[in-house]
Amino acid sequence: MAGRPPIRRRTARGRLVLFLFGLLSVWLGLGYRLFEVQVVRADEYREMGLNQRLTREVLAPDRGTIFDRDGNPLAMTIDSQTLYAMSDEVEDPTFVAQQVAAVTGRDWRALRERLIQGDGFVYLARQVEPEAAAKVLELDLAGVYSLEEPKRVYPQGAVAAHVVGLVDVDGKGLEGLEYQYDEILSGTPGEVVFERDRRGIPIPQGLRHVIPPVPGDDLVTSVNLTIQYAAYQACEEVREETDARACWVVALHAETGEVLAMAGAPGFDPERRIAEDGSTHLTNFVVRGMYEPGSTQKLITLAAALDTGTVGVDTVIPQVSDRIEINPGACRSPDDDIFGCFGDFSPHETVDMTVGEIFTRSSNVGTIKIAQRLPAGALVDYMERFGLGHPTGIDYSGEAPGLLDRPRDPHCNTCVPSAAIGYAVAVTPLQMAAAYAAIANDGVWTSPSLVSSRIGIDGKVSSFQPQTRRVVEPETAWVMRQLLAMVVSEGTGQLASIPGYRVGGKTGTANKLGDDGKYTDETVASFVGMAPIDDPKVVVAVVVDQPAYEYRTGGRAAAPVFADVMEAALHALGVVPDAVSS
Amino acid sequence: MTGKVTSITQVRTTARRRERQRSVNARTATTILVVVAMLLVVGVTAIISASSAVAIVEVSDRFYFLKRQLVGIGVGLAAMAVTSSIPYQTYRRWALWLFWISIALLLAVLAVGEVVGGSRRWLDLGPVNFQPSEFSKFAVVVALAAVAERKGRLLEDSGHFMGPLVLLVGLTGLLVMLQPDLGTTVVIGVAAFGVLLCSQAPLRYVIGSGMLALAAGATLAVSADYRMERIEAFLNPWADALGSGYQLVQSYFALGNGGLFGVGLGASRARWFYLPNAHTDFIFAIIGEETGLVGGLTVMLLFTLLAVAGWTVVRRAPDGFGRMLAAGITAWLTAQAAINIGGVLGVLPITGITLPLVSFGGTSVGVTMAAIGVLLNVAQQGRTEG
């Protein structure tokens, strides 16, 4: 009995020590583990955690604005919202589709289809006005969200569409200046690297590293909106009046080669990316289209003859009939034009004609006779000098070079005479306008250009310098201008006259080649001219493709368009009228 | 005469001893109070940071959880004031009542409790929620201590030992497991182990039953799919770092980010929805991230101090009941803190129990502080051994 309590006390004490040992060892162990996690492996864990939180977002730069020469915007970028859905969060696709369609004007069946088929992210309506997006978001539809997506708009619509071109829905240049200058316009994307929370929202105390985007430069074009509008309008009207397939106009500043207007019909809506005739044919014929110029080419033939001293303007060419055979018997062949039989537009008696008369009356036979007096190769030489057969170097993508292969071919004896009157060669409307501008500019050819300067974010303006070269002597150019004036005052181009100004120009009527390789009755009617003739400021080229038969000549279809555009141009540029005594 | 002289000396000696005892008792109580206060401050600070992001998103009030926690602490302070002034001997009489109330509440929760995160743990009492299993911890400790004291050396008999153990701990554990809540069950088991360790039951019985409970717990752990998943996630969280291992991996990221000295108060990244339950079960990870190893060790040191103070109370308790009561409470608090932090550190499976006094949770704070009040009462009556 007496021995028991001490034993029990010792046992109790032992248990107490055991108890304390248990308590302390737990905390010692956990403390060591904490050290392991927070010190030994800390760097590894810290890095992994940071990588989990870090995210980068591209900051889209603002796309530059394209202006006309007076600062009117032709293409600009505005804020807009894009509505999208996470399809798995949408509870009632039909309801959502109908609600979104009601506000945005989209087809609700198509939207529903997309919602049902979609797996995750689904576009509902891209680039809608912020107000419309807000209206949809107010409906609080499950799974419907919006994001900011800038939209490219074209305040002038179809009027300037062939100048500025268009972008795709993601804002990438597809056509026109938008494509040509895409890199300059689009700027440099920025980037923001930041720590986000699990919902993707930046953590206030987190890392944040921003490389701001550099906005694209603005472009100032040489286009004059008034002239541009007149050109578009005139083309639309002539197309309606003559039932032509298409009409193209380009107006150049005579001295600088700057494009004042470049328009065509049918035009297209650059925002909807669809042509007015419903097709997706959006190309610019002025720069890319090739056609046989017909009589407008005679300017170059005659300028070559005068400039080389082969003939003078008053030189009489004897015995000019209404037909000429390059190969004997060609005119009796059924395929006469191919074997070297050339005729005039309308029959006439065989007469002696001066060089000047041949030009103003647009005699094919006379022109060929003049061309035959030229040294071998001189005609093609001059055509090249005037810029045919090569791209003009305009700052517009996809320019066509034209074709001079056949008159260059030594084995083709009919090709040079053909070329003399504008056949067997292909040119672009722009090339012809530039060739006439060389005559307007006292014999100096200047490469046409659209963009006159770019304005950087720092306000720095840089200008583009055109290329120039002398093509003919100033005297030759002066003589040619007088002849051009006579074409309008008393020749084939009388519908091109403008009250108050002396106008010069040349008509062209070229039969189109059919699919079978034979010439048809269909024509390309054109007119290229300049005003005021004593000191030309503006050159306008008009090409009307396939007008109705009664309008088939350049003088009927194209000259009135020229007159409309030129008049608008002279007024817009404030050109003082000539003192014309009638 | 000499007898009188002797008796005066004895009176003086007794008085001096009482004096010394009072001062030791006061020191122990003060230690406990200071540790509790510091843990509460640490908790509130961490909750402000850990909960604000969730609070803003869910209830548009960044101090929502802070306010509720302060209410819980207020209730806890009142409860502690009450329990520390009730002589612990009183519970002898109420022990079984407390136990049956606890059983009734556990049954109620199984019948009408709210299901949160797959388990039924809460009783919805209008403005406040109550978690009966928190109360059960206290009830089991009191009841087991009372029964063990009454049985005294009868516990040397295996029948007398097993009977109350199966009834009190087994029944409570069973009901808690039905919620299911393995973590709380383990805490109750460890608390019971603490009580029995200080009873007159033979050590082999105590340790044997502990081993048995451990085996039972392990069996239970692998018995349910979701618990098995937790075990696998605990063994290799990186195998499914975005799924079952996600919480532990995020905990590591937070602690690693904290490093030695932490990223600073309020600068935790894990709280931005990366670490689930950042303000409740995983608050220790946020503390570690914001205050680093230094802060984390400080919290551990506070719990160690609490454990040592609790052990002092056990050692100096005036009777067996007080000793077992203090041992149960100390074991309970230490076990709960260690299981929680062990889960956060990946050395124990995640069980979903709170870090006492620190985690957000009104019932937890309230019941914990009430239990500490009881501990304080035992401490005040402490006397030198022998």
Side-chain angles (χ1 to χ4, degrees):
Chain A
M1 272 300 278
R4 286 197 81 142
I7 293 168
R8 264 173 57 200
R9 190 169 295 165
R10 209 181 310 138
T11 312
R13 185 162 288 171
R15 288 187 185 192
L16 276 174
V17 171
L18 186 67
F19 191 41
L20 184 64
F21 176 79
L23 294 172
L24 292 179
S25 60
V26 161
W27 290 115
L28 267 175
L30 288 175
Y32 171 72
R33 173 63 183 166
L34 187 67
F35 173 80
E36 196 175 50
V37 174
Q38 289 209 277
V39 178
V40 179
R41 313 203 62 173
D43 290 342
E44 181 191 344
Y45 290 152
R46 187 180 297 126
E47 169 116 14
M48 290 168 85
L50 186 63
N51 285 341
Q52 161 183 258
R53 294 188 299 274
L54 278 184
T55 186
R56 66 187 62 223
E57 255 173 36
V58 173
L59 299 176
D62 288 337
R63 193 175 175 85
T65 303
I66 302 175
F67 294 106
D68 82 343
R69 67 188 306 134
D70 300 316
N72 299 303
L74 304 178
M76 58 199 286
T77 297
I78 58 165
D79 292 341
S80 71
Q81 294 284 322
T82 283
L83 292 164
Y84 66 95
M86 299 309 290
S87 58
D88 42 347
E89 295 173 28
V90 173
E91 285 155 11
D92 183 352
T94 309
F95 182 72
V96 168
Q98 286 172 342
Q99 293 295 315
V100 173
V103 177
T104 61
R106 303 294 199 279
D107 174 30
W108 73 269
R109 283 179 192 82
L111 285 184
R112 185 182 64 171
E113 196 61 22
R114 248 186 283 165
L115 283 173
I116 292 170
Q117 305 275 318
D119 182 20
F121 185 97
V122 172
Y123 278 122
L124 293 175
R126 289 190 76 172
Q127 296 167 355
V128 298
E129 284 171 17
E131 293 78 23
K135 231 183 210 174
V136 170
L137 293 179
E138 262 171 39
L139 298 172
D140 228 0
L141 302 165
V144 175
Y145 308 94
S146 81
L147 59 86
E148 208 169 286
E149 194 173 46
K151 183 184 185 181
R152 193 69 163 166
V153 293
Y154 300 92
Q156 315 308 333
V159 171
H162 285 111
V163 174
V164 292
L166 73 163
V167 295
D168 68 14
V169 73
D170 297 317
K172 184 117 186 67
L174 282 187
E175 175 59 287
L177 293 182
E178 296 276 32
Y179 178 79
Q180 177 80 15
Y181 288 97
D182 194 44
E183 215 168 293
I184 290 171
L185 285 167
S186 43
T188 315
E191 183 182 76
V192 55
V193 179
F194 62 93
E195 277 185 76
R196 56 162 174 201
D197 70 17
R198 212 175 164 206
R199 301 164 305 166
I201 296 170
I203 294 175
Q205 306 97 325
L207 272 177
R208 189 176 179 80
H209 180 62
V210 181
I211 304 167
V214 181
D217 287 1
D218 292 340
L219 296 179
V220 179
T221 65
S222 54
V223 168
N224 178 307
L225 200 51
T226 310
I227 308 172
Q228 177 73 23
Y229 187 81
Y232 175 75
Q233 193 70 15
C235 259
E236 286 280 307
E237 278 168 18
V238 79
R239 212 168 78 86
E240 198 159 306
E241 192 185 328
T242 68
D243 204 22
R245 249 200 204 171
C247 163
W248 296 93
V249 174
V250 56
L252 298 181
H253 195 284
E255 284 159 29
T256 61
E258 290 174 338
V259 173
L260 295 169
M262 188 160 74
F268 66 88
D269 180 342
E271 283 172 32
R272 292 175 54 225
R273 304 176 186 90
I274 190 165
E276 279 170 355
D277 58 5
S279 74
T280 51
H281 195 70
L282 314 178
T283 199
N284 182 343
F285 190 87
V286 170
V287 173
R288 300 188 193 137
M290 297 200 287
Y291 68 107
E292 285 180 296
S295 301
T296 51
Q297 150 69 22
K298 287 172 187 167
L299 173 95
I300 298 170
T301 308
L302 201 54
L306 294 175
D307 203 51
T308 51
T310 309
V311 293
V313 72
D314 294 322
T315 306
V316 175
I317 307 293
Q319 296 288 304
V320 177
S321 74
D322 53 4
R323 270 188 164 196
I324 187 169
E325 283 182 340
I326 303 298
N327 296 312
C331 287
R332 265 165 286 142
S333 139
D335 295 326
D336 49 5
D337 42 0
I338 292 178
F339 289 99
C341 175
F342 299 96
D344 282 340
F345 187 76
S346 33
H348 60 82
E349 289 173 20
T350 303
V351 289
D352 297 347
M353 291 171 89
T354 65
V355 167
E357 280 169 343
I358 286 169
F359 187 75
T360 51
R361 293 190 202 156
S362 203
S363 163
N364 289 343
V365 177
T367 308
I368 290 169
K369 283 184 174 235
I370 295 169
Q372 283 173 330
R373 297 188 182 195
L374 279 168
L379 181 63
V380 178
D381 220 38
Y382 269 89
M383 288 171 85
E384 286 196 58
R385 282 212 222 168
F386 272 94
L388 307 192
H390 299 280
T392 64
I394 190 175
D395 45 346
Y396 197 97
S397 67
E399 187 182 11
L403 288 172
L404 290 183
D405 298 0
R406 296 192 62 202
R408 277 196 196 115
D409 181 359
H411 304 296
C412 176
N413 69 336
T414 64
C415 287
V416 172
S418 275
I421 59 168
Y423 285 92
V425 294
V427 300
T428 66
L430 184 67
Q431 281 175 333
M432 283 320 273
Y436 275 63
I439 294 300
N441 195 27
D442 290 331
V444 176
W445 184 90
T446 308
S447 62
S449 64
L450 261 168
V451 171
S452 48
S453 60
R454 57 189 269 201
I455 305 172
I457 183 67
D458 50 1
K460 232 171 85 181
V461 178
S462 37
S463 308
F464 300 94
Q465 288 304 315
Q467 294 178 304
T468 60
R469 62 169 182 266
R470 176 157 293 281
V471 174
V472 291
E473 293 307 311
E475 297 75 25
T476 308
W478 186 86
V479 171
M480 288 312 301
R481 289 209 295 272
Q482 303 316 309
L483 291 175
L484 288 170
M486 282 169 70
V487 170
V488 174
S489 61
E490 51 205 61
T492 55
Q494 291 178 31
L495 290 180
S497 58
I498 299 165
Y501 294 93
R502 277 189 71 212
V503 174
K506 183 74 191 79
T507 56
T509 307
N511 288 85
K512 292 179 77 172
L513 271 174
D515 292 335
D516 54 357
K518 292 182 190 171
Y519 284 100
T520 64
D521 280 345
E522 307 283 5
T523 61
V524 173
S526 59
F527 191 94
V528 192
M530 61 198 70
I533 201 66
D534 292 323
D535 181 16
K537 294 283 186 262
V538 183
V539 171
V540 173
V542 177
V543 174
V544 179
D545 183 18
Q546 231 169 289
Y549 189 79
E550 61 267 36
Y551 294 99
R552 56 196 280 266
T553 65
R556 284 287 277 129
V561 174
F562 168 87
D564 286 351
V565 176
M566 182 59 88
E567 189 173 16
L570 293 171
H571 292 169
L573 299 183
V575 177
V576 181
D578 295 304
V580 177
S581 50
S582 48
Chain B
M1 283 296 279
T2 44
K4 266 182 188 172
V5 171
T6 310
S7 90
I8 288 170
T9 315
Q10 273 177 344
V11 167
R12 276 189 185 150
T13 315
T14 313
R16 253 187 229 127
R17 195 200 288 160
R18 287 224 176 106
E19 189 62 30
R20 209 166 56 236
Q21 275 173 359
R22 258 206 296 280
S23 89
V24 171
N25 291 346
R27 207 166 59 217
T28 309
T30 309
T31 303
I32 292 171
L33 280 173
V34 167
V35 166
V36 167
M38 289 177 79
L39 284 172
L40 287 174
V41 167
V42 166
V44 163
T45 312
I47 285 168
I48 294 174
S49 171
S51 71
S52 62
V54 173
I56 288 168
V57 169
E58 287 181 2
V59 289
S60 307
D61 174 5
R62 63 171 298 193
F63 296 123
Y64 174 77
F65 292 103
L66 170 67
K67 288 174 190 165
R68 287 189 48 186
Q69 183 73 352
L70 289 177
V71 170
I73 290 173
V75 171
L77 281 173
M80 191 164 78
V82 171
T83 52
S84 64
S85 55
I86 297 173
Y88 69 86
Q89 290 84 352
T90 318
Y91 301 115
R92 275 204 189 98
R93 263 182 291 148
W94 297 101
L96 285 178
W97 282 107
L98 285 172
F99 175 73
W100 289 117
I101 289 171
S102 144
I103 294 298
L105 285 169
L106 286 177
L107 287 170
V109 99
L110 287 176
V112 296
E114 259 187 276
V115 179
V116 176
S119 58
R120 206 177 276 279
R121 295 183 183 177
W122 300 88
L123 276 181
D124 188 355
L125 305 177
V128 290
N129 286 340
F130 181 72
Q131 203 172 347
S133 58
E134 292 289 339
F135 175 71
S136 301
K137 296 170 190 166
F138 181 63
V140 167
V141 167
V142 171
L144 192 62
V147 171
E149 188 196 39
R150 197 170 311 150
K151 289 198 182 278
R153 302 193 62 176
L154 283 175
L155 288 174
E156 288 172 6
D157 178 75
S158 64
H160 282 284
F161 176 79
M162 288 308 285
L165 198 60
V166 168
L167 176 70
L168 299 176
V169 183
L171 182 58
T172 305
L174 178 72
L175 292 177
V176 173
M177 274 316 292
L178 285 175
Q179 294 185 356
D181 184 351
L182 180 62
T184 302
T185 309
V186 172
V187 170
I188 289 172
V190 176
F193 185 79
V195 172
L196 292 174
L197 196 64
C198 296
S199 74
Q200 297 194 39
L203 198 55
R204 60 180 192 280
Y205 284 3
V206 177
I207 290 177
S209 62
M211 300 289 239
L212 216 64
L214 215 62
T219 312
L220 282 173
V222 298
S223 67
D225 280 352
Y226 87 93
R227 281 195 292 263
M228 195 57 214
E229 203 173 87
R230 280 186 174 183
I231 304 258
E232 278 164 12
F234 151 69
L235 291 174
N236 185 6
W238 305 100
D240 189 9
L242 292 175
S244 58
Y246 180 78
Q247 198 169 20
L248 184 54
V249 164
Q250 295 301 324
S251 175
Y252 286 160
F253 288 172
L255 290 166
N257 193 34
L260 262 179
F261 299 105
V263 294
L265 292 180
S268 160
R269 305 291 197 270
R271 70 194 178 105
W272 292 97
F273 311 103
Y274 285 109
L275 179 61
N277 305 335
H279 62 295
T280 55
D281 306 347
F282 275 73
I283 193 122
F284 187 76
I286 300 294
I287 294 170
E289 186 181 13
E290 296 194 340
T291 60
L293 179 72
V294 173
L297 285 181
T298 304
V299 171
M300 288 188 178
L301 190 67
L302 288 172
F303 277 109
T304 311
L305 279 177
L306 189 63
V308 172
W311 181 77
T312 310
V313 176
V314 171
R315 190 165 56 89
R316 294 171 52 84
D319 56 21
F321 182 61
R323 186 163 64 236
M324 285 185 278
L325 213 48
I329 291 169
T330 304
W332 151 20
L333 295 179
T334 302
Q336 188 167 336
I339 290 171
N340 175 280
I341 291 176
V344 170
L345 296 179
V347 292
L348 289 174
I350 296 165
T351 48
I353 59 174
T354 56
L355 185 59
L357 302 172
V358 179
S359 284
F360 172 80
T363 315
S364 168
V365 169
V367 171
T368 305
M369 289 176 77
I372 287 171
V374 174
L375 191 64
L376 284 172
N377 188 269
V378 181
Q380 280 157 12
Q381 300 186 39
R383 61 173 75 147
T384 311
E385 249 181 303

